[in-house]
Amino acid sequence: MLMIYYCIILFVKVKEGDLFRRNHNLLVISLLSLHNIGDAPRTDDTDLKLQENPMLFQKEYITGSLMPRIQELWQSAECTFPPFLTEINAGEKGTNEKWITESTERIRLHLKAFPSRSAFTFPNKKGSERITPRQQIWLKETESLFHSLLLTEPVLGIRNALSPQTLDAFQDKIKQFLRKVRSFAPDMELEDMGQAIRNYMVYAIFREQNGLPQKCSSSIFGYSMLYPFTDNFLDDPSHTEEEKIHYNKLIHHRISGLPVTPLSLHEEKTAMLLDAIAADYPGPEADEAYGAEAAADIRQGLLLMLEAQEISQKQTDASLSLTEKNILDISIYKGGLSVLIDRYFINCKMTEQDALFYFGFGFLLQICDDLQDIAQDRESGSRTLLSRCQIPEEREDVVNRLFHYTDRLFHFSPPSSAAFRDFLLQNCFQLILSSAAGSGDFFSSSYLEGLERAFPVSFSYLKQMKEKMPAAFSAGKPADQNRMMDMLDAVLSESPS
């Protein structure tokens, strides 16, 4: 049943006309998190030097140690076309495209056949609805369908990266996370829910990467949900500047342990999420991993993240003059902190090299987001390393540098299995390729042809699927949000088989 979650979120993005903006990232994250790399947590004698002094999120450490090293790694990366990308021949691309087309149709027909619950509701004593007998049958068929797809998938090699035990554990915790979401925010739209799931998946990857069992803790639920709650509020033009200032002040005060007075249900819910994060700190796992100052450390990390979000607003302020270095610093600071906090929540000791990798990995994901959003950022006036470029050649240099930076960054990746490291690295390359293809209007045709040679399908097929998918999944019964939510609720209320 695991893949139905991804299917639901993916098809919501299709309906929103946003298929290739985020879902490749989601797929990469979900697949990586299922890779089995061993049972025992990793230990290392070279724990962070700051463990003696014990704060990871000291601002001096972030800005004085991690940021300069990531800046140097980025600036020293070559701007030449990456020679290490593996080319995929036309025959293999054709095979991949055929499988995707046929599988998409099988999924479309199956989703179309989802039985409405309106005539088959069985309220429980709390007044919620249980799944119907017809939905039970549909769920079993769903499981069979996706197991079949996993066993035949030719593009990412899923069948070579999965273990049944890891799959079961991951499925259980994803369901637990989504049940919490539905209970906490029953009116949350699927697009925002997808954002929260993506945040959780990053954390799930890091638990697998460090040999830890899957866990849906209070802290990661709160942190994963903060993004749709805070980012969407701050990005909404209907909110006044005064409202945004009050909202940020409420968050700052709550993190700092000061009393707050929420002025709306949204502010009250935000405060509850911050309380959920704090619930695990202090705690036995955190104290063992990070010492007695773990609670103060994570509070400081969240305050720095809040500061990074506020600083990033400067990217859209036309009255401010930003240099390329200013933009680079903002991107590293915001992206790096976000992922470093994700890593902190797994409560496993870090080495200096670990901290550098995860901070740098956050910057990598930030630049991939910027690569996907070139058109949107240029329209809104948001200045990023990609949107500021005036000609295709400049953007191509940035993408080339991103490939080389990614390749170098993985020299610092945690010492898990070599297979896992390579799998993760190759999927990062695929993320960059698909992001560039989605912003193809901003690159030369010759450059795109070079990138296309390393992608599992042709870029024309990618574009064709992007255009056809919304109509395909709204054919017959409308693929609206209520219907998708009904499917999700059926999955989450599924009885164990």
Side-chain angles (χ1 to χ4, degrees):
M1 291 307 306
L2 175 64
M3 292 302 290
I4 188 63
Y5 311 134
Y6 311 147
C7 182
I8 289 171
I9 299 302
L10 188 154
F11 294 135
V12 170
K13 302 305 289 182
V14 168
K15 188 174 186 294
E16 298 292 335
D18 199 20
L19 173 65
F20 294 105
R21 180 175 180 271
R22 299 286 187 189
N23 71 319
H24 185 82
N25 190 10
L26 170 62
L27 180 59
V28 170
I29 294 297
S30 64
L31 295 178
L32 294 176
S33 61
L34 297 174
H35 189 83
N36 185 16
I37 61 168
D39 298 323
R42 182 175 60 84
T43 59
D44 199 307
D45 293 332
T46 57
D47 294 335
L48 268 172
K49 295 175 183 175
L50 344 155
Q51 293 303 324
E52 303 166 1
N53 225 3
M55 302 279 282
L56 170 63
F57 292 107
Q58 296 177 89
K59 189 168 183 178
E60 295 78 6
Y61 176 67
I62 300 295
T63 60
S65 179
L66 293 182
M67 282 190 66
R69 294 174 72 182
I70 294 301
Q71 289 166 349
E72 193 280 329
L73 195 64
W74 172 260
Q75 291 167 344
S76 64
E78 296 90 336
C79 294
T80 56
F81 192 88
F84 42 76
L85 295 180
T86 303
E87 291 192 10
I88 300 175
N89 63 49
E92 189 174 350
K93 288 181 191 288
T95 299
N96 295 338
E97 291 170 5
K98 183 175 184 292
W99 183 89
I100 293 171
T101 299
E102 293 175 350
S103 299
T104 299
E105 179 63 9
R106 290 176 67 187
I107 295 171
R108 185 190 71 82
L109 292 174
H110 184 70
L111 294 183
K112 180 180 176 181
F114 176 72
S116 170
R117 75 165 65 225
S118 58
F120 298 92
T121 56
F122 299 94
N124 64 20
K125 59 184 178 181
K126 293 183 179 180
S128 62
E129 295 177 344
R130 295 176 180 170
I131 57 176
T132 70
R134 289 175 60 199
Q135 288 171 346
Q136 284 275 18
I137 296 172
W138 184 86
L139 288 169
K140 291 182 181 297
E141 292 173 347
T142 301
E143 184 172 1
S144 176
L145 170 62
F146 281 103
H147 282 174
S148 171
L149 295 178
L150 287 171
L151 290 174
T152 59
E153 184 277 320
V155 180
L156 297 175
I158 300 173
R159 58 187 178 276
N160 300 321
L162 300 175
S163 74
Q165 296 80 10
T166 304
L167 177 60
D168 289 344
F170 192 79
Q171 172 179 320
D172 178 65
K173 298 309 175 187
I174 283 284
K175 291 176 76 170
Q176 183 180 340
F177 178 84
L178 287 171
R179 288 190 187 108
K180 287 184 177 182
V181 172
R182 294 291 287 142
S183 175
F184 181 82
D187 296 327
M188 175 175 275
E189 294 186 0
L190 279 168
E191 184 174 4
D192 294 335
M193 196 181 301
Q195 186 179 8
I197 287 177
R198 289 191 293 272
N199 297 333
Y200 174 80
M201 284 179 175
V202 173
Y203 160 86
I205 291 174
F206 296 163
R207 291 196 70 87
E208 288 297 322
Q209 193 174 33
N210 287 273
L212 298 171
Q214 288 301 318
K215 180 179 181 180
C216 180
S217 64
S218 170
S219 57
I220 193 57
F221 172 76
Y223 185 62
S224 297
M225 290 286 283
L226 268 182
Y227 274 84
F229 267 78
T230 60
D231 281 7
N232 294 344
F233 182 91
L234 295 173
D235 291 342
D236 188 344
S238 69
H239 295 299
T240 66
E241 191 65 25
E242 290 74 17
E243 288 174 326
K244 293 179 181 180
I245 291 173
H246 180 271
Y247 186 64
N248 276 337
K249 186 178 295 185
L250 175 139
I251 295 173
H252 189 285
H253 284 185
R254 195 69 166 201
I255 294 172
S256 302
L258 301 175
V260 299
T261 304
L263 300 181
S264 66
L265 178 60
H266 188 89
E267 289 191 348
E268 182 180 346
K269 290 277 190 178
T270 301
M272 292 170 66
L273 291 174
L274 293 169
D275 291 344
I277 294 173
D280 291 333
Y281 298 90
E285 288 185 357
D287 292 349
E288 181 180 354
Y290 307 122
E293 298 298 319
D297 202 6
I298 192 58
R299 284 198 301 270
Q300 176 64 15
L302 293 172
L303 289 173
L304 291 182
M305 189 66 238
L306 178 61
E307 176 188 68
Q309 289 177 318
E310 293 170 345
I311 291 173
S312 70
Q313 298 298 310
K314 296 179 179 180
Q315 291 175 277
T316 58
D317 188 343
S319 68
L320 296 177
S321 176
L322 295 181
T323 66
E324 181 179 357
K325 185 181 185 305
N326 294 149
I327 297 171
L328 175 63
D329 289 347
I330 292 171
S331 302
I332 294 175
Y333 194 48
K334 181 181 179 182
L337 276 170
S338 176
V339 170
L340 193 60
I341 292 173
D342 270 313
R343 170 56 178 83
Y344 194 87
F345 283 134
I346 75 171
N347 294 330
C348 181
K349 291 181 180 180
M350 273 188 272
T351 67
E352 289 278 1
Q353 184 166 304
D354 288 342
L356 182 64
F357 173 77
Y358 289 112
F359 192 77
F361 191 73
F363 172 59
L364 161 64
L365 295 182
Q366 180 64 56
I367 300 303
C368 286
D369 275 350
D370 295 342
L371 179 56
Q372 296 166 12
D373 293 342
I374 295 176
Q376 177 183 326
D377 289 337
R378 286 172 69 88
E379 182 178 351
S380 67
S382 180
R383 290 163 290 180
T384 71
L385 292 178
L386 276 304
S387 67
R388 69 178 294 277
C389 298
Q390 299 301 311
I391 58 176
E393 289 77 12
E394 292 179 353
R395 287 183 283 272
E396 290 161 12
D397 284 348
V398 174
V399 175
N400 288 340
R401 177 170 281 176
L402 181 58
F403 278 113
H404 287 280
Y405 165 83
T406 301
D407 187 55
R408 291 186 179 187
L409 178 67
F410 271 76
H411 292 298
F412 299 96
S413 64
S416 54
S417 70
F420 178 80
R421 177 193 174 279
D422 291 343
F423 186 71
L424 177 55
L425 177 60
Q426 292 304 316
N427 277 276
C428 285
F429 289 157
Q430 295 302 320
L431 174 58
I432 299 170
L433 290 167
S434 65
S435 300
S439 295
D441 290 344
F442 298 95
F443 298 95
S444 67
S445 57
S446 60
Y447 184 71
L448 290 174
E449 288 172 4
L451 296 181
E452 185 180 36
R453 285 193 284 270
F455 200 63
V457 299
S458 67
F459 285 170
S460 61
Y461 178 81
L462 197 64
K463 182 178 179 180
Q464 173 189 338
M465 291 298 290
K466 179 178 180 179
E467 294 170 349
K468 287 185 175 181
M469 202 74 79
F473 285 93
S474 60
K477 299 176 182 179
D480 58 13
Q481 176 155 306
N482 290 337
R483 181 173 174 77
M484 289 294 185
M485 197 69 79
D486 211 22
M487 292 184 197
L488 178 60
D489 286 341
V491 171
L492 297 181
S493 60
E494 175 191 10
S495 301
S497 55

